[in-house]
Amino acid sequence: MPLNICLKPGSDGTRWYNYKWIGNDLHVLIKIDEKSYTGGENGDNHPMAWYHNFDGGRAFYTELGHTDESYADPLYLNHLLGGIKYAMGWKK
């Protein structure tokens, strides 16, 4: 489920994290362009949301959702729901 969201770091309380390790088995849903802000350390491969199989199960991660307003945004809620359904193994 690809998801494109336009966000400016810091404008709404969001924070972007740098990762010490990024697995090569991740199915990346959202990447951030590090040229759009300062402080990035992951280069061209800076995922913000992904899913993958892990330890016999499924994992979903999103870097979004730092503000209360996020939880009133239908795009964000749909993003979360998709991740929860994946982690549960839910199929249509």
Side-chain angles (χ1 to χ4, degrees), residues 10-88:
S11 63
D12 63 353
T14 54
R15 299 177 284 283
W16 306 149
Y17 301 114
N18 292 307
Y19 302 105
K20 293 180 182 179
W21 178 83
I22 300 171
N24 59 6
D25 65 334
L26 303 180
H27 300 276
V28 176
L29 300 169
I30 304 170
K31 281 186 176 185
I32 189 166
D33 179 358
E34 289 193 349
K35 294 180 211 95
S36 68
Y37 72 102
T38 58
E41 298 175 3
N42 294 126
D44 290 337
N45 184 30
H46 191 146
M48 294 181 59
W50 64 80
Y51 65 93
H52 66 122
N53 293 327
F54 179 76
D55 199 23
R58 296 174 189 87
F60 166 75
Y61 174 82
T62 185
E63 190 172 315
L64 307 175
H66 289 115
T67 66
D68 292 341
E69 293 80 14
S70 299
Y71 296 90
D73 182 337
L75 284 175
Y76 179 67
L77 293 176
N78 204 27
H79 172 66
L80 280 183
L81 181 60
I84 292 167
K85 286 180 177 180
Y86 166 76
M88 292 173 45

